[in-house]
């Protein structure tokens, strides 16, 4: 499963992609969830799991959609 989180102002989305099929999972977020914004440069992000932590793989990519001078 691949989960894509878009934090673009006015276009926040959370999509699950399994075998090329996209599903909107925004409504499955916890009520208290908040979106984070990555800073330019290095960001430290930690993750955890209740079970099978050794099998958990997390890849985080960042795309800057706005280029300015």
């Amino acid at each position: 499963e691949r989960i894509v989180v878009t934090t673009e102002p006015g276009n926040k989305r959370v999509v699950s992609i399994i075998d090329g099929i996209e599903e909107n999972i925004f409504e499955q977020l916890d009520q208290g969830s908040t979106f984070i914004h990555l800073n330019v440069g290095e960001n430290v992000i930690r993750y955890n799991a209740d079970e099978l932590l050794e099998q958990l793989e997390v890849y985080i990519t960042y795309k800057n959609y706005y280029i300015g001078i």
Side-chain angles (χ1 to χ4, degrees):
E1 178 179 24
R2 180 174 159 213
I3 297 176
V4 178
V5 179
T6 302
T7 60
E8 177 185 350
N11 188 32
K12 291 184 173 138
R13 298 182 303 138
V14 182
V15 176
S16 168
I17 304 169
I18 300 175
D19 296 328
I21 299 171
E22 293 187 13
E23 178 185 359
N24 178 358
I25 59 170
F26 190 89
E27 298 300 323
Q28 295 180 32
L29 294 176
D30 287 337
Q31 288 283 337
S33 293
T34 58
F35 284 87
I36 62 170
H37 293 277
L38 299 177
N39 295 315
V40 174
E42 187 174 314
N43 294 267
V44 177
I45 300 172
R46 293 182 174 85
Y47 62 90
N48 201 354
D50 293 333
E51 298 177 3
L52 303 173
L53 180 61
E54 65 280 354
Q55 294 182 17
L56 181 64
E57 292 184 22
V58 176
Y59 301 93
I60 298 174
T61 58
Y62 173 77
K63 293 181 184 177
N64 190 359
Y65 286 102
Y66 303 100
I67 299 175
I69 299 175

